[in-house]
């Protein structure tokens, strides 16, 4: 299959009063790949993907998704185009049930708008159950989301991303704070999903990155330090010096 | 199609049936009070749509009530518009006012939103005083007795008769209840709740939260205006007090007491508070102090209001 570009950025920058968190990033994402972004804390990974999802506005530069300039598009419109984002810091509706949390995501795809078409109730329920099953939350569908253990809240966050059936799913440190068993579960979920969506994965756990990623981008102080296959990245002296090197 | 919340639907039907039966047991005076309660409950239900379901606290809802009062009242008074037409004009005017106001004030949130809505309402209030040669200002205007009845689709309605007024108010109350049920329960209701609880997340799920807020705002303002138009035409009087700050506070008070974000809470809150204020104001001129104390008590022991507390403790479907 020929590689088709799904998303590119050109000269993307983002400043936080004086601090340049994302610095002139030219980035390309191919359709169907699992692409990992790694880099030390504060490197600008979350900020970078927030610029892609529209949660933040760039100071300069452009974001092109599927051949279309989406730089000025508000976040909700980008989600409609198929860019879904799961938060690094769990961001769910704590007072609602797990089912309602996922149903909101499914509803966004199946019945957008307040006065959208009726009769999609069963399909929303179906999509909700499918997403819950994929992350292993079926037993907890009726629990209050705020009562879930931390690990389960992370899984709910991922399930909400799944229920959007996105073309591009951005996962911001999905395994952070999870147990080894849960990490294995999430790794499997992401692998399965890769047949249906392109995945941009920010991840600290190098085992997960190595198991999943086809390509890796290393960010350091807001700029791209290196890019390549997992083997190339591990062998890259600049990366070893700046990031992988310590302690290894 | 399956109902989104069958138990609540059943309860609403029972409440409407009970309200209908009420007119056969109550004294004439109490039927009048009940009429007032039903009309003001529409106001509180409109307020609840915004404050309770969508989580935006306005301090200026009197402006929408007043838009209905003046558009309906003045068109009847000066142009001799028939009551149904004047009513429709009142509803239309409050729709327009809430749409324009909403587009402006929804740029703000939380405290700023409270202040901006309050300011808009004060401007409305002062405007009614400024043009007192038209509006009658504080003194107000009494609508001519000729404008106290109408015939619509073969039904003759006489607004000097208590039973006619009561049943008309009940019909509109029921329509409001049905409309709000459709909007606040099930799939749609979930969207307003999502905006209330976590707007940022809702945006990142692909929903235009500004639009959802705007819909809530316009529905809220239009229902408030409908209540105002009804009040003015029903009792044949319009005056600046209908645009005053106290009325905005009453909408908030009724909703808080009954239970924000519950469909029947505003009716209960309006009923309890109206009866209480009526009783107390007959006993002491300092009744507002008692009302204030009561509000503090509710806040202390039932912060979610009467029905809201019941919902949180026992009946999760009561929403
Ligand atoms: N909302 C914000 N306001 C100010 N500074 C921010 C904000 N978000 C991130 N930063 C700063 O930008 C830099 C990059 O942060 P972030 O993108 O979260 O890094 P990473 O996800 O790679 O750990 C950090 O120095 C951080 O302190
Ligand atoms: Mg981060």
């Amino acid at each position: 299959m020929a590689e088709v570009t799904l998303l590119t950025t050109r000269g993307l920058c983002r400043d936080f009063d004086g601090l340049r968190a994302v610095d002139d990033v030219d980035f390309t994402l191919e359709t169907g790949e699992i692409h990992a972004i790694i880099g030390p804390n504060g490197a600008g990974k979350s900020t970078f993907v927030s610029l892609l999802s529209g949660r933040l506005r760039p100071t300069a530069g452009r974001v092109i998704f599927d051949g279309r300039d989406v730089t000025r598009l508000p976040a909700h419109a980008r989600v409609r185009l198929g860019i879904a984002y799961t938060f690094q810091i769990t961001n769910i509706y704590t007072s609602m049930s797990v089912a309602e949390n996922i149903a909101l995501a499914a509803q966004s795809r199946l019945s957008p708008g307040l006065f959208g078409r009726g009769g999609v109730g069963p399909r929303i329920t179906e999509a909700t159950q499918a997403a819950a099953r994929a992350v292993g939350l079926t037993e907890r569908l009726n629990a209050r989301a705020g009562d879930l253990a931390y690990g389960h809240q992370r899984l709910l966050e991922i399930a909400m991303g799944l229920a959007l059936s996105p073309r591009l799913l951005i996962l911001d440190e999905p395994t952070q704070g999870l147990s080894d068993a849960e990490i294995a579960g999430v790794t499997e979920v992401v692998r399965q999903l890769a047949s249906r969506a392109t995945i941009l994965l920010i991840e600290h756990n190098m085992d997960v990155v190595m198991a999943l990623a086809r390509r890796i981008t290393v960010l350091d102080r807001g700029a791209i330090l290196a890019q390549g296959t997992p083997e190339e990245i591990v062998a890259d002296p600049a990366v070893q010096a700046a990031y992988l090197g310590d302690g290894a | 199609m399956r109902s989104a919340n069958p138990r609540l639907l059943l309860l609403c039907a029972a409440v409407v049936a009970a309200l209908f039966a009420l007119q056969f047991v109550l004294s004439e005076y109490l039927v009048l009070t009940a009429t007032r309660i039903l009309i003001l409950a529409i106001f509180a239900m409109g307020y609840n749509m915004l404050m309770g379901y969508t989580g935006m606290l306005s301090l200026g809802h009197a402006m929408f009530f007043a838009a209905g009062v003046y558009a309906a009242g003045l068109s009847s008074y000066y142009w001799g518009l028939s009551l149904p037409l004047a009513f429709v004009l009142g509803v239309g005017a409050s729709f327009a006012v809430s749409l324009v106001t909403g587009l402006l004030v929804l740029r703000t949130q939380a405290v700023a939103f409270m202040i901006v809505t309050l300011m808009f309402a004060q401007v409305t209030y002062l405007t009614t005083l400024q043009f007192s040669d038209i509006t009658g200002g504080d003194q107000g205007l009494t609508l001519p007795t000729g404008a106290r009845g109408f015939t619509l689709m073969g039904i003759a309605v006489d607004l000097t008769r208590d039973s006619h007024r009561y049943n008309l108010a009940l019909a509109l109350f029921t329509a409001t209840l049905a409309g709000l049920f459709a909007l606040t329960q099930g799939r749609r209701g979930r969207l307003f709740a999502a905006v209330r609880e976590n707007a940022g997340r809702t945006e990142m799920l692909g929903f235009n939260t500004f639009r959802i807020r705007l819909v809530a705002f316009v529905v809220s303002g239009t229902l408030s205006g409908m209540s105002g138009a009804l009040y003015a035409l029903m009792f044949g009087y319009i005056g600046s007090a209908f645009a005053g700050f106290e009325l905005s506070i009453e909408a908030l008070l009724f909703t808080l007491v009954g239970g924000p974000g519950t469909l029947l809470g505003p009716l209960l809150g309006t009923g309890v508070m109206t009866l209480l204020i009526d009783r107390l104001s007959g006993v002491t001129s300092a009744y507002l102090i008692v009302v204030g104390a009561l509000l503090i008590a509710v806040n202390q022991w039932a912060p979610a209001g009467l029905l809201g507390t019941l919902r949180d403790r026992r009946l999760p479907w009561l929403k």
Side-chain angles (χ1 to χ4, degrees):
Chain A
M1 197 176 84
E3 298 218 318
V4 184
T5 301
L6 183 64
L7 176 137
T8 49
T9 71
R10 288 282 162 262
L12 206 59
C13 297
R14 170 69 200 210
D15 295 347
F16 291 113
D17 19 61
L19 172 86
R20 177 144 288 198
V22 172
D23 189 6
D24 195 22
V25 172
D26 292 336
F27 176 81
T28 302
L29 189 64
E30 307 300 342
T31 302
E33 72 173 330
I34 299 181
H35 193 122
I37 298 184
I38 63 173
N41 265 326
K45 304 182 294 296
S46 292
T47 306
F48 174 65
V49 295
S50 291
L51 296 173
L52 306 185
S53 71
R55 214 162 68 85
L56 291 175
R57 293 279 130 136
T59 308
R62 296 193 301 147
V63 179
I64 292 126
F65 179 71
D66 197 21
R68 175 171 169 189
D69 191 331
V70 298
T71 315
R72 297 208 179 286
L73 228 49
H76 63 84
R78 295 191 204 188
V79 178
R80 281 284 141 74
L81 287 182
I83 305 178
Y85 175 75
T86 70
F87 289 77
Q88 175 174 9
I89 297 161
T90 307
N91 195 350
I92 54 178
Y93 304 96
T94 51
S95 80
M96 294 189 196
S97 71
V98 170
E100 283 175 307
N101 271 272
I102 305 176
L104 271 165
Q107 180 174 344
S108 169
R109 173 169 57 94
L110 295 168
S111 169
L114 265 173
F115 305 102
R117 67 206 125 106
V120 294
R123 285 178 62 204
I124 291 176
T125 309
E126 215 172 278
T128 301
Q129 285 165 353
R133 204 178 315 120
V135 300
L137 278 179
T138 302
E139 246 100 86
R140 300 213 153 56
L141 273 173
N142 291 319
R144 204 174 146 274
D147 293 340
L148 291 182
Y150 174 80
H152 286 138
Q153 292 190 350
R154 293 297 303 156
L155 293 174
L156 173 56
E157 179 84 43
I158 295 170
M160 291 163 81
L162 296 185
L164 283 168
S165 277
R167 298 174 60 198
L168 166 60
L169 179 61
I170 301 171
L171 295 161
D172 196 347
E173 305 212 14
T175 67
Q176 191 184 50
L178 295 188
S179 71
D180 287 349
E182 287 168 331
I183 290 176
V186 169
T187 307
E188 202 38 48
V189 170
V190 175
R191 202 197 307 278
Q192 304 254 322
L193 187 70
S195 60
R196 280 177 286 140
T198 306
I199 289 164
L200 187 56
L201 172 74
I202 299 180
E203 185 56 66
H204 265 303
N205 185 323
M206 283 313 288
D207 293 339
V208 175
V209 171
M210 289 302 168
L212 289 174
R214 193 169 85 198
R215 284 202 302 153
I216 298 175
T217 294
V218 185
L219 273 188
D220 189 28
R221 272 166 283 165
I224 293 182
L225 181 70
Q227 206 162 36
T229 63
E231 297 72 31
E232 286 164 359
I233 293 301
V234 172
D236 190 309
V239 176
Q240 284 178 348
Y243 180 57
L244 294 170
D246 16 322
Chain B
M1 211 178 85
R2 212 166 48 85
S3 162
N5 189 346
R7 274 178 286 203
L8 182 62
L9 191 63
L10 213 63
L11 179 61
C12 287
V15 166
V16 169
L19 287 170
F20 183 75
L22 214 54
Q23 62 188 303
F24 304 113
V25 291
L26 292 183
S27 70
E28 220 165 84
Y29 172 73
L30 281 177
V31 167
L32 181 66
T33 305
T35 306
R36 257 179 55 223
I37 289 174
L38 283 181
I39 299 176
L40 289 176
I42 295 175
F43 182 32
M45 286 156 88
Y47 186 82
N48 185 36
M49 180 65 224
L50 189 67
M51 184 269 198
Y53 285 105
T54 323
M56 284 180 291
L57 201 155
S58 147
L59 288 180
H61 259 49
M63 75 178 128
F64 305 123
F65 191 86
V69 164
Y70 281 104
L74 293 177
S75 63
S76 160
Y77 186 88
Y78 287 107
W79 304 335
L81 230 53
S82 74
L83 291 181
L85 272 184
F87 176 73
V88 169
L89 197 73
V91 175
S94 48
F95 172 82
V97 169
S98 49
L99 181 61
V100 173
T101 318
L103 287 170
L104 296 172
V105 303
L106 286 174
R107 290 155 201 280
T108 65
Q109 268 169 47
V111 178
F113 181 78
M114 287 160 65
I115 294 171
V116 173
T117 47
L118 174 62
M119 275 167 41
F120 271 71
Q122 286 309 97
V123 169
T124 308
Y125 174 63
L126 294 174
T127 308
T128 67
L129 290 178
Q130 179 68 32
F131 295 97
S132 59
D133 43 340
I134 301 170
T135 63
D138 259 339
Q139 299 273 298
L141 299 170
T142 305
L143 303 185
T145 41
R148 311 300 341 268
F150 63 93
T151 307
L152 191 64
M153 294 184 289
I155 306 170
V157 178
D158 177 358
L159 287 189
T160 58
R161 291 183 54 188
D162 290 328
S163 67
H164 285 202
R165 285 201 289 220
Y166 183 76
N167 286 305
L168 187 61
L170 181 57
L172 284 164
F173 168 85
T174 306
T176 303
L177 192 64
L180 285 179
F181 184 94
L183 202 56
T184 62
Q185 308 299 314
R187 191 143 41 84
R188 283 193 196 101
R190 197 151 60 203
L191 280 188
F192 295 108
V195 168
R196 177 185 63 203
E197 183 171 335
N198 191 341
R201 193 25 157 149
T202 310
E203 188 84 13
M204 293 311 296
L205 284 180
F207 295 107
N208 184 341
T209 54
F210 181 85
R211 193 138 82 202
I212 295 171
R213 284 200 173 103
L214 185 64
V215 168
F217 193 91
V218 171
V219 168
S220 177
T222 306
L223 286 177
S224 302
M226 179 172 105
S227 165
L230 199 58
Y231 205 99
L233 298 175
M234 195 82 95
F235 300 115
Y237 169 79
I238 58 179
S240 287
F242 288 138
F245 180 59
E246 288 83 353
L247 203 71
S248 295
I249 292 302
E250 273 183 16
L252 170 64
L253 179 69
F254 297 164
T255 305
L256 277 180
V257 169
T262 64
L263 199 55
L264 291 165
L267 173 67
L268 184 64
T270 308
V272 169
M273 293 314 292
T274 306
L275 290 173
L276 196 74
I277 292 173
D278 278 4
R279 284 292 138 80
L280 285 173
S281 57
V283 180
T284 163
S285 59
Y287 68 95
L288 277 178
I289 294 179
V290 182
V291 170
L294 196 89
L295 194 60
I296 291 171
V298 167
N299 227 309
Q300 191 68 34
W301 287 295
L306 296 171
L307 294 190
T309 304
L310 195 60
R311 172 198 61 201
D312 294 346
R313 302 239 168 104
R314 290 261 141 81
L315 310 170
W317 52 270
L318 197 65
K319 60 186 184 179

